Amino acid sequence: MAVDDRLRTVDEHLATVLDGVGTLEPIELTLLDAQGLLLAENVSTDFPLPSFDNSAMDGYAVRAVDTLDASREQPVRLQVVGDIAAGASSRSGMGPGLAMRIMTGAPIPSGADAVIPLEDTDRGMARVEIHRPVQSGECLRRAGEDLTAGSPALAAGAALGPQQLALLAAIGRDRVVVRPRPRVIILSTGSELIEVGHRPGFGEVIDSNSYMIAAAAKDAGADARRIGIVPDDHTKLLDALENQLLRADILVTSGGVSMGAYDVVKEALSEIGTVDFMRVAMQPGKPQGFGHLGNGIPIFCLPGNPVSSLVSFEAFVRPAIRKLLGKRSLHRATVQATALESAKSPHGVRQYRRGVLHRESAGGYSVSFIGGPGSHLIASLALSNCLVVIDEDVTEVTAGKPVTVMPLLLSNR
Ligand code: AMP
Ligand code: MG
């Protein structure tokens, strides 16, 4: 059996996990499907942005030289020879002493070299009074002033948020090559588990882990799918996993990895020899399984208690998903917060306590613990908004002193 009896540190196990996670082939997606992903190509524009000289204001296109002597008292009068709306496609021209009404974004007629805003005129229809001189180039947006034709727009590695998607659309790209979302398949094991929507009978437990892990995986950027419950049965477990191999970039199971007689995940997968089960010096989340199935698909076998499952996901699975996404920062940001209570923590173990993080009105953060030691307490888990991370060498947290807190903020992708 591939069981490693030595206690590993969280960092050692994380290093093993990240080593065991490769990269995914880039794929082409439409813009909104690419939101939140990293670009996997260098993108340049083959036309200038803006693509034509246009007006920055609603006003009149004029020749600056015609307005040199204009003032409110002695306006210059120009004949208005046309109207140019945004979207106008004619390349109309304009001679000396003439003006054209022009809307924001409309093309500048040839012959004009400036726009006088409406508010500096009498807004005339047939003739317009200009109330001040205009500089050549005033209120013009020049073709190519944003990007010239052929110039780079976005480099490979750029994260595609609303601003970047706007640029891609503006330069005419409706599809881009990106690092794909890892497909994460989530499976709950345990013969006591039943599907949500049923009232549990005696001894039955509703499967909540698969919803929690699927939501957490989705929040981490994955394309997450739960495939439900598998009982504590070797054959059924191996069949269920086998069926998913072609659809998965990562497999995540929960339950069945402790020392119990029915901890089938550990028994069944240890036999295959490509998944290792080990104990990690963390609390909760000591029993962990990690390895590969099929054609090198990483599989995480997390402990079944909901709090242990979530902490294990945060410690190992989330960084792995981020690595597959190509993200540079794999870890959640942490903040220092003042502990509102004291607590003891075992030496040599990294403890993750559920917490409620508050932002202090005077600045900074404070944190209180919630939920006690039980890893089965889902109601208090639902009230928490962070994990307090108590390092291996810290045995005591003192009220009033700073602690490291990992806020579990939703990314909303
Ligand atoms: P295990 O890790 O299989 O020994 O399970 C530990 C505890 O977590 C048991 O009380 C299980 O009933 C519970 N548990 C396991 N899987 C789930 C799940 N998917 N949803 C909710 N509780 C679970
Ligand atoms: Mg179980």
Side-chain angles (χ1 to χ4, degrees):
M1 286 222 309
V3 177
D4 177 357
D5 272 338
R6 194 177 59 87
L7 215 57
R8 295 186 181 184
T9 67
V10 172
D11 289 337
E12 283 168 349
H13 189 52
L14 179 61
T16 306
V17 161
L18 293 178
D19 255 4
V21 172
T23 52
L24 299 175
E25 280 297 302
I27 55 167
E28 199 177 50
L29 289 181
T30 57
L31 292 189
L32 287 180
D33 285 340
Q35 182 172 358
L37 298 175
L38 299 191
L39 200 57
E41 59 170 328
N42 292 317
V43 174
S44 54
T45 176
D46 52 16
F47 57 82
L49 203 65
S51 58
F52 53 90
D53 291 350
N54 67 85
S55 176
M57 300 284 282
D58 292 332
Y60 296 83
V62 296
R63 294 152 45 93
V65 46
D66 290 345
T67 68
L68 285 181
D69 302 325
S71 67
R72 193 164 284 276
E73 298 70 38
Q74 298 210 306
V76 164
R77 290 187 180 79
L78 301 175
Q79 189 189 343
V80 180
V81 292
D83 252 332
I84 316 169
S89 54
S90 89
R91 297 171 191 275
S92 45
M94 212 187 71
L98 303 179
M100 292 180 92
R101 265 165 60 88
I102 191 164
M103 314 306 153
T104 305
I108 302 293
S110 61
D113 64 348
V115 168
I116 176 98
L118 276 182
E119 44 274 40
D120 295 322
T121 72
D122 70 347
R123 301 168 195 246
M125 300 300 279
R127 278 170 14 124
V128 62
E129 290 189 354
I130 309 292
H131 292 161
R132 66 168 176 85
V134 189
Q135 304 287 318
S136 177
E138 209 178 313
C139 295
L140 291 198
R141 302 155 166 179
R142 293 285 185 197
E145 75 177 16
D146 206 357
L147 284 179
T148 54
S151 62
L154 289 172
L160 300 180
Q163 310 91 305
Q164 293 72 31
L165 295 177
L167 175 57
L168 291 167
I171 64 171
R173 289 292 300 262
D174 59 345
R175 305 175 76 84
V176 276
V177 180
V178 291
R179 306 280 298 258
R181 294 191 186 287
R183 298 164 303 165
V184 176
I185 298 283
I186 297 116
L187 188 150
S188 291
T189 72
S191 294
E192 76 281 26
L193 299 178
I194 60 166
E195 278 293 347
V196 65
H198 303 277
R199 197 181 172 81
F202 180 75
E204 292 180 334
V205 174
I206 299 175
D207 164 31
S208 53
N209 282 354
S210 66
Y211 289 93
M212 176 179 69
I213 297 169
K218 205 166 150 190
D219 185 67
D223 175 1
R225 197 138 56 88
R226 50 177 297 282
I227 57 158
I229 302 164
V230 181
D232 293 318
D233 176 297
H234 272 222
T235 318
K236 287 188 175 138
L237 173 69
L238 292 179
D239 283 354
L241 288 170
E242 184 124 43
N243 283 339
Q244 297 303 320
L245 283 177
L246 285 179
R247 275 167 250 177
D249 298 312
I250 291 184
L251 293 161
V252 182
T253 68
S254 72
V257 295
S258 326
M259 299 293 185
Y262 297 99
D263 284 325
V264 161
V265 175
K266 186 167 167 178
E267 290 169 27
L269 294 182
S270 294
E271 282 166 18
I272 296 174
T274 55
V275 184
D276 292 334
F277 290 86
M278 64 289 288
R279 295 179 307 138
V280 179
M282 65 193 282
Q283 203 182 58
K286 190 170 175 187
Q288 296 286 337
F290 176 75
H292 298 90
L293 289 186
N295 203 5
I297 309 295
I299 176 167
F300 292 83
C301 303
L302 311 182
N305 271 311
V307 179
S308 316
S309 251
L310 183 72
V311 166
S312 307
F313 180 92
E314 286 294 328
F316 308 118
V317 187
R318 194 173 200 277
I321 291 174
R322 309 261 313 163
K323 184 177 176 198
L324 279 181
L325 282 162
K327 302 277 186 190
R328 271 176 292 275
S329 101
L330 305 184
H331 304 292
R332 282 193 189 269
T334 57
V335 297
Q336 293 295 304
T338 305
L340 293 176
E341 14 182 328
S342 301
K344 297 224 180 293
S345 176
H347 183 259
V349 171
R350 188 177 303 178
Q351 210 180 32
Y352 295 86
R353 302 277 297 255
R354 285 135 286 156
V356 181
L357 184 65
H358 318 267
R359 190 193 282 277
E360 295 292 310
S361 52
Y365 296 95
S366 64
V367 65
S368 48
F369 298 117
I370 187 168
S375 295
H376 60 296
L377 300 172
I378 304 181
S380 54
L381 180 62
L383 293 175
S384 69
N385 63 1
C386 66
L387 294 174
V388 182
V389 185
I390 308 173
D391 276 340
E392 289 82 343
D393 56 346
V394 176
T395 54
E396 197 155 1
V397 168
T398 313
K401 295 276 192 249
V403 281
T404 302
V405 173
M406 184 191 283
L408 299 179
L409 298 174
L410 289 182
S411 74
N412 287 323
R413 306 231 276 184

